[in-house]
Amino acid sequence: MQRHAIVLAAGKGTRMKSKKYKVLHEVAGKSMIEHVVDNVKQSGVENLVTIVGHGAESVKETLGDVSLYSFQEEQLGTAHAVKTASEHLSDKQGTTLVVCGDTPLITTGTLKSLVEHHEKNQAEATVLSATTTNPFGYGRIVRDENGRLVKIVEQKDATEIEQQINEISSGIFAFDNKVLFEKLELVKNDNVQNEYYLPDVLTLILEEQGNVGIYCTDDFDEIMGVNDRVMLSEAEKAYRKRINACHMRNGVTLIDPATTYIGADVEIAADVIIEPGVKLAGRSIIGEDTVVGHNTEIINSKIGANVTIKQSVINEAVIDDHATIGPFAQLRPGADLGKNVKVGNFVEVKKSIVKAGAKLPHLSYIGDAEIGERTNVGCGSITVNYDGKNKFKTIIGNDSFIGCNTNLVAPVTLGDRSFIAAGSTITDNVPQDSLALARARQTTKEGYLKQ
């Protein structure tokens, strides 16, 4: 059976009080719409249509070609939004999921279960529900004495008795696609909001004694909608708790999960230890037996096995096995560190290859450079890579020693086993097995201060 999906993402989200389009606000480092679309796609749909309105171009730019799009020019309600997808889906057969773009916690597993329940029971429509102690703001699921759905009533249209119901509609549905688009033509807007409600499709089906099912999830967090910054923070907290629990069950030690922030796309191997205050974001990968020290930030970087990182910032960098980083190091985009490399305190590395066994112990800037194997760069050394207009490269061979407070003015190449005297400013290439000195001769004036 064919499966399709419609993601509702046309609302501006005025309660967010933001210039940013609501569904582009992030949860765990990833926009809400990306969370939803990724999980919908993974549930096995063939055709995905995203309904856009306010901020349409921003949403399209974020999602790219993973979705088809339909534009809802006026925000006239959820049924009206779904109806705009008719240009892509009205002639299709099979099951169609309808999912809200502001429900970032929905999982692929629940969406699959909803569709399977819907198809197994040969329903014309199935609503995903959940129970909560605070149902305010949600549509209520009204059942008859046999537990069958009578209707879904919105908060503003509910009676006092109906407002006491704690089973709520998630706003997520599975429909027989043909029935869905037939009934959408009949939906009216005679309600408090003067909007065309998607749940009214279910009412129309029930009026004809059609088969409408309910699939109840036991995890209310999954259907949490985000309408303002408070709800965004609640979704963030719930998502991070889920992510952290998943990693811990897979063999990662989080010393303090409450202060550990791990992005949705981060991969962490077993026996990694993560200390308090760590942030792992983007598509970072952390190898086994690595220790990530407290207050470290790692973004879009690949970290090998048995690496030790102390209080450092690492962004778009690669670190091979058994390296030690920090404390207080910064690895910027393009930093590529080999096995057993040491980068010490207050060292900054940018767009440079640092080969196996090399050491940058402290207080150095290495930019646009290639550092050879087992080379030692002394304290306070700098690759002077920028002349005000262009950047140039520094190349240092294997087994070299760079004395403290050395300036290497690029473009410059130092051969293998070069030895650079402390305090030198090197502007010319140095052959292998050579000593280079480039500093003023010392002058001492005895008794100068007695004058």
Side-chain angles (χ1 to χ4, degrees), residues 116-127:
E116 289 167 1
H117 182 273
H118 170 80
E119 293 175 351
K120 180 181 178 181
N121 290 281
Q122 297 182 321
E124 294 166 276
T126 304
V127 57

Side-chain angles (χ1 to χ4, degrees), residues 26-42:
E26 294 185 349
V27 171
K30 189 173 176 179
S31 70
M32 292 193 285
I33 190 67
E34 288 178 285
H35 281 294
V36 172
V37 166
D38 285 352
N39 284 306
V40 168
K41 292 283 284 187
Q42 291 168 24

